[in-house]
Amino acid sequence: MDHFLYRNGTLHAEGVAIPDIAATVGTPFYVYSTATLTRHYRLFTDALAPLPHLVCFAIKSLSNVAVLKTLGNLGAGMDVVSGGEYLRAKAAGVPGERIVFSGVGKTREEMRLALTGGIRQFNVESEPELRALSEVATSLGLTAPITIRVNPDVDARTHEKIATGKKENKFGIPIARASEVYAEAAALPGLQVVGIDVHIGSQLTELEPFEQAYLKVADLTRRLRSEGHTITRLDLGGGLGIPYTRSNEAPPLPTDYGALIKRTVGDLGCEIEIEPGRLISGNAGLLVASVIYIKNGEGRDFLILDAAMNDLVRPSMYGAHHDIVTVAEPPVAAPTQEFDVVGPVCETGDTFARGRELPLVAEGDLIAFRSAGAYGAVMASEYNTRPLVPEVLVNGDHFAVIRERPTFDEILRRDTIPPWL
Ligand code: LLP
């Protein structure tokens, strides 16, 4: 459920009419709903209670500081994968003890930043990383709390580009080698082992792969404890999928996911951490665009928008589906037309949808991509020198621009001319 509904014939974000935002910021823009973000975050905390837990929002899915502050104020932790994301979490006022640092390629500089600024734990992904972190922590006179990310060799049954839990993927250490690697970690001076981390992929639409992975983590917890390690935290990653179409998809609910966690690892006395991104942010955002032209091609009609693949790359990158709706509510049983929905970028890959059935539209009409909150704005680029799309946050009857559209002056100023030119 989200808070983007038609009221009096016009699509609203909570209490705000989308055309009112368009009149202020121009199109295209992203708009996020505070009520939806809040509701989705609470679904997870409710599903995990009464287990001791921390829901760490995966910042990579939607990293605007105003969004992070919205969630941070509710008590959310943050899962960061770069120094930049760490600084965003801090800028949103989230204390270090609620920030976990994931990722296969943390640099020493990033380690230093997080260690000095405060960090709940590093989720370490390799032996060289263990050694580097121990060195950095020791040089600062600090101890780094760590989990080790294990790769459970489980098929997440999701898009190949976002599956991470198979042994051929670059993530984590093979679970079969965990004893050895934990022994090395325990012997390193700058580290304190606190738990185990696992993340098997994104947009999972079944619970079974989670179950397989979490049962392996439960076994490993017992084994590592018997080998003398103190395991007090389990970071179970993110990945729970969302419905991208309103008709035929019903991915598992956070309550079912919470029940699965309790059933598989709930008796171990560990604090549970999860790192959901998409389920919190995905359906909390729209990308709103205008129709520039309707072009009648040979055997197909093109709806040419002012948004493009650089603004929302998921369709061209993963073949992902996003529902597209008109901002003006179509009358019941209104006629429809099939369109290829495309952007202005100069490559055929700049296609959002082919043969999409849409209500009749005209040039200048507003349309909205649903489920665009996660991996939308954060994956945008300035390809074709198209300015990054502004972001707007709605809260009840109010809205605020939380990132402005850059001017061309600002964009051009970033390029510098060397002295010989
Ligand atoms: N934790 C770790 C270690 C991750 O790598 C990810 C996502 C998450 C948590 C959050 O997963 P979520 O709950 O959002 O599924 N750009 C792709 C998705 C990439 C996901 C990468 N890792 C897309 O647009 O579908």
Side-chain angles (χ1 to χ4, degrees):
M1 202 211 119
D2 59 47
H3 289 77
F4 301 109
L5 298 171
Y6 290 109
R7 291 192 192 181
N8 310 318
T10 302
L11 188 63
H12 279 61
E14 303 187 21
V16 179
I18 296 293
D20 291 349
I21 305 175
T24 313
V25 299
T27 56
F29 63 89
Y30 279 96
V31 55
Y32 311 121
S33 152
T34 299
T36 312
L37 290 165
T38 304
R39 179 171 177 277
H40 289 170
Y41 166 72
R42 294 218 165 106
L43 287 176
F44 280 115
T45 53
D46 290 351
L48 290 177
L51 291 180
H53 65 269
L54 184 65
V55 175
C56 296
F57 176 59
I59 291 190
K60 65 168 78 68
S61 72
L62 174 53
S63 63
N64 189 290
V65 175
V67 169
L68 305 185
K69 199 167 176 67
T70 301
L71 293 168
N73 286 352
L74 300 172
M78 300 285 151
D79 167 44
V80 307
V81 293
S82 68
E85 285 194 352
Y86 177 84
L87 292 172
R88 282 182 179 276
K90 290 309 272 301
V94 179
E97 62 265 27
R98 296 212 310 257
I99 304 176
V100 302
F101 204 140
S102 303
V104 289
K106 303 172 198 81
T107 63
R108 285 163 194 260
E109 204 175 316
E110 288 174 323
M111 292 169 176
R112 225 169 276 126
L113 177 73
L115 279 167
T116 49
I119 190 80
R120 178 181 180 82
Q121 86 211 19
F122 291 89
N123 295 330
V124 177
E125 299 227 14
S126 66
E127 288 146 296
E129 186 192 335
L130 279 179
R131 292 170 208 139
L133 183 58
S134 174
E135 268 170 40
V136 174
T138 315
S139 73
L140 293 168
L142 296 168
T143 304
I146 63 148
T147 70
I148 296 178
R149 178 169 174 179
V150 292
N151 185 325
D153 194 22
V154 166
D155 184 356
R157 293 190 281 227
T158 183
H159 191 286
E160 59 166 344
K161 285 194 179 143
I162 55 177
T164 56
K166 288 287 284 171
K167 61 175 185 288
E168 59 268 31
N169 302 135
K170 70 180 173 187
F171 299 97
I173 56 138
I175 198 162
R177 292 196 45 237
S179 290
E180 206 182 307
V181 181
Y182 270 83
E184 174 168 8
L188 285 167
L191 307 181
Q192 187 203 356
V193 172
V194 296
I196 304 173
D197 172 45
V198 71
H199 170 78
I200 57 173
S202 190
Q203 185 55 15
L204 272 72
T205 52
E206 302 161 275
L207 285 181
E208 219 232 309
F210 286 119
E211 178 155 19
Q212 283 179 36
Y214 296 171
L215 286 172
K216 289 187 180 193
V217 167
D219 281 348
L220 181 62
T221 305
R222 294 189 195 95
R223 177 147 49 93
L224 291 175
R225 281 178 173 166
S226 75
E227 290 166 4
H229 300 285
T230 308
I231 305 294
T232 57
R233 281 182 204 161
L234 299 180
D235 183 334
L236 301 176
L240 194 59
I242 62 168
Y244 274 97
T245 57
R246 278 194 288 176
S247 39
N248 56 6
E249 276 177 278
L253 301 172
T255 37
D256 302 327
Y257 177 66
L260 167 74
I261 289 176
K262 289 174 187 166
R263 201 165 65 240
T264 51
V265 296
D267 61 342
L268 294 166
C270 285
E271 186 173 10
I272 301 300
E273 297 163 345
I274 54 171
E275 303 169 350
R278 191 187 316 261
L279 200 136
I280 292 177
S281 56
N283 283 324
L286 302 178
L287 171 63
V288 179
S290 299
V291 175
I292 309 180
Y293 299 117
I294 295 171
K295 175 171 167 177
N296 304 115
E298 218 160 288
R300 45 206 326 134
D301 294 326
F302 295 98
L303 196 65
I304 304 177
L305 305 179
D306 63 0
M309 64 188 289
N310 69 298
D311 306 312
L312 176 66
V313 78
R314 302 194 68 259
S316 56
M317 187 149 176
Y318 312 110
H321 172 100
H322 284 264
D323 274 353
I324 300 171
V325 297
T326 50
V327 168
E329 184 173 18
V332 180
T336 59
Q337 189 181 348
E338 250 186 40
F339 286 108
D340 281 8
V341 184
V342 301
V345 162
C346 304
E347 53 180 288
T348 303
D350 186 23
T351 298
F352 291 115
R354 284 183 208 286
R356 184 71 65 88
E357 200 79 32
L358 291 176
L360 299 185
V361 282
E363 287 174 11
D365 282 2
L366 294 172
I367 64 97
F369 290 86
R370 295 180 56 86
S371 315
Y375 308 109
V378 287
M379 293 181 78
S381 75
E382 286 178 348
Y383 186 35
N384 280 207
T385 309
R386 296 170 44 82
L388 288 181
V389 173
E391 295 175 281
V392 172
L393 183 64
V394 167
N395 185 13
D397 295 334
H398 307 285
F399 72 91
V401 177
I402 55 172
R403 191 179 68 197
E404 305 243 0
R405 194 188 310 277
T407 64
F408 286 113
D409 271 354
E410 284 162 347
I411 293 175
L412 291 180
R413 224 181 296 136
R414 293 201 309 255
D415 293 9
T416 51
I417 311 288
W420 65 85
L421 286 179

